[in-house]
Amino acid sequence: MDRQKQRITVTAAAMLVPLMAACGSENADGGSTTVGAGKPVTGVRWNVDSVTADGRTQKAPTGAHMTIDKGRAEGSFGCNNFGAEATVDGDRVRLSKTMATEMACENKPMAFEETLARTLSDQEFEARVDGDRLTLTTEQGDTVRLTKAQDAPLSGTKWTVTTPKADGRAHLTFDEKKGTVSGSLGCNKVNAEATVRDGDITLGPPATTRMMCEDSLMADEKALLRIFDGELKYRVDHQTLTLTSENGMKVRAAAGQ
């Protein structure tokens, strides 16, 4: 079996473009999407715990993960991102046409990355799901162990706003018990009533401080203020929160930053 990984070199700003574009053009594979007694393997973000190859086990760095969905596998080896065609049929998972970015990252174990890339690229695996754990074993006996990633809780998490950018200064924290949201709009502090139910958040009128900051921050503040005093749809996907207002405006935020 050819275990040579195909690679593409791209700039850091564009490194996700080919993978995302390929994902959008794929249809769901016609095979099974579960392993064992109806346990799903697709549509789940799996964090890599370790890889065992050639009799040696290496622990994964933070950030190594994989998701299989709609005929594609996408994720990160720890530093570089990758994408591949994926087929799930019973307890067999097949990855093919693997492509990855080529970056050298500081403070990342590149030896682990090379081992994981070699083990995952263009291989067929026996898959076993046990609770929140997934084990992928190659025909050669190499093993990748993964754990289902948990979504960050909406309440109590400091959500740093990434869109609009606000120079990383804007953040929101929801408290479902108190029925409030508080934080910063990037320049001014803000708090408001917040009622959470069934994928919706109803925000009351905002109370803010009255400081003046640079024009770019004030423009982002005005954009963020438009989500208050109304109803929002919200979705948490792993460490990302998306808020969508009734007029279609989207605010995205990252957990723990």
Side-chain angles (χ1 to χ4, degrees):
M1 180 180 295
D2 182 6
R3 302 176 66 181
Q4 180 65 37
K5 180 172 59 175
Q6 302 176 45
R7 288 181 175 266
I8 55 174
T9 303
V10 293
T11 65
M15 66 182 180
L16 288 179
V17 173
L19 302 185
M20 292 175 67
C23 180
S25 65
E26 290 289 332
N27 295 321
D29 57 289
S32 167
T33 59
T34 60
V35 175
K39 298 175 181 178
V41 67
T42 63
V44 176
R45 178 181 168 118
W46 298 100
N47 289 337
V48 179
D49 296 325
S50 66
V51 58
T52 300
D54 302 323
R56 180 189 176 199
T57 298
Q58 299 179 62
K59 186 177 179 180
T62 301
H65 68 276
M66 178 174 67
T67 300
I68 301 173
D69 198 21
K70 298 180 180 179
R72 293 285 299 173
E74 294 188 355
S76 170
F77 295 132
C79 166
N80 285 283
N81 298 303
F82 73 92
E85 293 184 3
T87 302
V88 180
D89 189 4
D91 65 350
R92 311 300 296 182
V93 174
R94 169 73 180 171
L95 302 184
S96 61
K97 299 182 180 179
T98 307
M99 301 181 74
T101 57
E102 285 187 329
M103 297 186 298
C105 302
E106 294 182 1
N107 303 318
K108 291 288 185 179
M110 300 307 291
F112 169 88
E113 172 137 339
E114 292 173 2
T115 302
L116 181 62
R118 187 174 65 249
T119 304
L120 285 181
S121 297
D122 302 331
Q123 295 274 14
E124 183 170 321
F125 305 88
E126 179 183 358
R128 185 177 66 182
V129 177
D130 184 9
D132 288 340
R133 297 185 181 277
L134 169 66
T135 303
L136 299 175
T137 304
T138 69
E139 294 177 351
Q140 295 80 17
D142 296 338
T143 300
V144 181
R145 293 178 174 82
L146 310 96
T147 301
K148 181 179 179 180
Q150 300 299 316
D151 291 338
L154 173 69
S155 182
T157 298
K158 179 181 178 181
W159 295 102
T160 298
V161 176
T162 56
T163 306
K165 292 182 180 179
D167 291 341
R169 302 184 193 181
H171 58 86
L172 298 170
T173 301
F174 293 89
D175 189 324
E176 289 191 57
K177 290 184 178 180
K178 293 181 179 179
T180 62
V181 61
S182 60
S184 171
L185 298 170
C187 174
N188 286 284
K189 295 181 179 179
V190 65
N191 62 80
E193 293 183 353
T195 303
V196 180
R197 64 168 71 87
D198 299 329
D200 294 329
I201 302 175
T202 301
L203 296 183
T208 70
T209 55
R210 300 293 183 180
M211 295 188 296
M212 293 298 295
C213 298
E214 52 263 42
D215 290 344
S216 60
L217 280 179
M218 298 307 294
D220 288 332
E221 284 209 356
K222 290 179 180 178
L224 286 173
L225 281 171
R226 291 201 292 270
I227 69 174
F228 288 85
D229 201 11
E231 188 171 286
L232 306 168
K233 296 289 185 183
Y234 82 90
R235 181 170 62 89
V236 177
D237 182 8
H238 186 48
Q239 300 289 303
T240 301
L241 169 66
T242 303
L243 303 171
T244 306
S245 67
E246 292 177 316
N247 63 9
M249 177 184 171
K250 290 184 183 293
V251 172
R252 291 185 173 85
Q257 297 189 13

